Amino acid sequence: MEFESTIGLEVHVELSTNTKIFCGCSTEFGGIPNSHVCPVCLGLPGSIPMINKKVIEYAIKAGLALNCSIANNSRMDRKNFFYPDCPKNYQITQDKFPLCRNGYIEIEGENNKEKKIRIERIHIEEDAAKLIHTENGTLVDYNRSGVPLIEIVSKPDIESPKEATMYLQKLKSILQAIGVSDCKMEQGSLRCDGNISVKEKTCIKLGVRTELKNINSFKALEKAFEYEIKRHIKAIENGEKIERETRRWDDEKGRTSVMRSKEQANDYRYFPDGDLVAIKISDEDVKRIKKTIPELPYEMAERFEKEFKISKYDAAVLTSNLKIADFFENAAKLSGNPKSAANWIMGDMSKFMNEKSISIEDLKFTSSELADLIKLVDSHKISNNIGKKVIEEMFETGESPYDIVNKKGLAQNNNEGEIYEIVKKVILKNPKSVQDYKNGKKKAAKFIIGMIMKETKGNANPEIVNKLVNKELR
Ligand SMILES: [Zn+2]
């Protein structure tokens, strides 16, 4: 039997405003527990919330970057439930009238085809407090209470765990690029829930849906959905019934378990929050916010492909981090050799940065110095191999490539006459290799070239050496 899965994601993103959604308390991560609080975010009776204008602007910005239409009229609602992390016994969120609707993200889906994952809605809401479970009981930190969130709900257009990861990665890169969130999954500023159903390929009716919670990393996202798909398939094959329920992903045990069944589902009794006025957004507001959206990573990748004639893969890697993209663009323009700039950044530079775990901001040299190095190679002042030594030195000392080449005497010797003398000398000294070569061992030439490069401390122009050696041995 062949099966297919249908996945939808609900992503909560903390907005990086300085203050909370309904009060002036700081949104800073960490801090002494319960130090960023006031009567509003503690939910004390009689306190009145006031909406933070920046939250609405950020949410609209996200909506526009994700191709949504923005509602001219929307409002805040109360979602009623009792839980210790929610001191008012209701969460202020948006129910029927969200700020943004009908957007999409394009991903490269399975079988490498461009695919649209539709976004049903984006709404704003307040975050809950954080519960900290200890041996002696549970503690509550209200610092997170009232931190602004947007919830981005996709349509069930995702077909595989891999597509889910691609969707989330693209979503993250867009939100980071427009500056509305740092999207740090490890700090909880990007959180992901999902729902999934599996059916036989030939079956028209969708399978029973289960919800998945507690997915805390990209790895967990893929593993959790893979686990659920297997679980569903096994149940279908065994003729077992799949319950409509919410399940929690346990990363350590690598499995999901039941959190609550449908019978326990809450009726949240949504109704408009009477303390907050309706949100009215004019077309001018939308236009003004639209202007603040910078070039998005995928747009930049497309431009790099066209403008710099680099491969789609290279463009995607280079734009996965905006700082690296800037570094590349500068070096490409200044050196006039984009392909070489891409090679240095994705090759030697990323190797060193990984080894020493340093980021591009912490480099001791600039993009214009990388361009200088490329120019040294392109003008045959140094060979590519010597370039590798130079960039290593640039990492260590931050000296300019010119200084390194001069100081260490690394300049390439392009003097054919001089090189020819050395070639003759080495050939004279190695009659056996010459004989080997003449007997058909072509490898012997490599040995001779190696000896010549050694003699010249690697400075001889390799093309000239090759040419001369081949000529002499012929
Ligand atoms: Zn507060």
Side-chain angles (χ1 to χ4, degrees), residues 241-253:
K241 200 177 156 214
I242 294 164
E243 298 294 335
R244 186 155 176 198
E245 60 198 6
T246 303
R247 298 177 71 89
R248 166 189 289 276
W249 169 249
D250 187 328
D251 211 24
E252 263 172 42
K253 292 187 182 130

Side-chain angles (χ1 to χ4, degrees), residues 21-225:
I21 184 167
F22 299 122
C23 61
C25 293
S26 166
T27 54
E28 205 187 321
F29 181 78
I32 300 162
N34 299 309
S35 61
H36 305 157
V37 291
C38 73
V40 173
C41 54
L42 284 172
L44 298 186
S47 62
I48 300 285
M50 271 235 301
I51 200 153
N52 182 345
K53 204 173 150 194
K54 202 101 207 174
V55 171
I56 298 173
E57 288 202 4
Y58 276 17
I60 293 175
K61 203 170 170 180
L64 291 170
L66 298 170
N67 309 299
C68 291
S69 47
I70 310 301
N72 293 117
N73 295 293
S74 79
R75 69 167 193 224
M76 303 307 298
D77 298 291
R78 293 185 182 181
K79 179 183 180 181
N80 299 280
F81 60 94
F82 170 78
Y83 207 65
D85 64 3
C86 176
K88 299 189 295 291
N89 287 349
Y90 61 82
Q91 178 195 25
I92 304 178
T93 178
Q94 297 192 291
D95 179 29
K96 295 272 176 354
F97 301 96
L99 203 49
C100 322
R101 275 185 197 277
N102 299 332
Y104 63 88
I105 287 183
E106 263 176 340
I107 61 162
E108 204 162 302
E110 297 285 347
N111 59 39
N112 294 337
K113 259 209 212 132
E114 286 279 308
K115 176 176 175 181
K116 266 186 192 171
I117 308 292
R118 290 169 300 160
I119 290 169
E120 189 175 304
R121 57 184 281 155
I122 303 176
H123 64 258
I124 50 180
E125 60 186 26
E126 57 181 339
D127 208 345
K130 201 161 152 187
L131 297 181
I132 299 146
H133 304 285
T134 71
E135 277 174 17
N136 304 319
T138 296
L139 304 168
V140 193
D141 179 5
Y142 287 99
N143 282 356
R144 205 179 66 180
S145 168
V147 166
L149 291 178
I150 48 175
E151 181 175 342
I152 302 158
V153 183
S154 89
K155 292 265 191 192
D157 290 344
I158 299 165
E159 284 170 66
S160 67
K162 198 178 126 210
E163 281 190 7
T165 306
M166 286 175 121
Y167 167 83
L168 193 62
Q169 253 157 2
K170 188 139 181 195
L171 179 63
K172 182 181 165 185
S173 75
I174 291 172
L175 296 175
Q176 278 177 326
I178 62 173
V180 300
S181 174
D182 59 17
C183 293
K184 288 183 180 160
M185 264 185 132
E186 67 281 9
Q187 291 185 2
S189 52
L190 179 78
R191 310 196 287 265
C192 178
D193 301 329
N195 48 64
I196 179 163
S197 69
V198 177
K199 68 172 184 67
E200 258 182 79
K201 227 173 184 169
T202 49
C203 187
I204 295 165
K205 214 177 131 214
L206 279 180
V208 177
R209 208 173 67 170
T210 52
E211 266 181 68
L212 271 184
K213 299 240 178 228
N214 200 34
I215 301 168
N216 293 328
S217 67
F218 279 93
K219 241 190 206 155
L221 174 76
E222 215 154 322
K223 283 200 294 191
F225 279 114

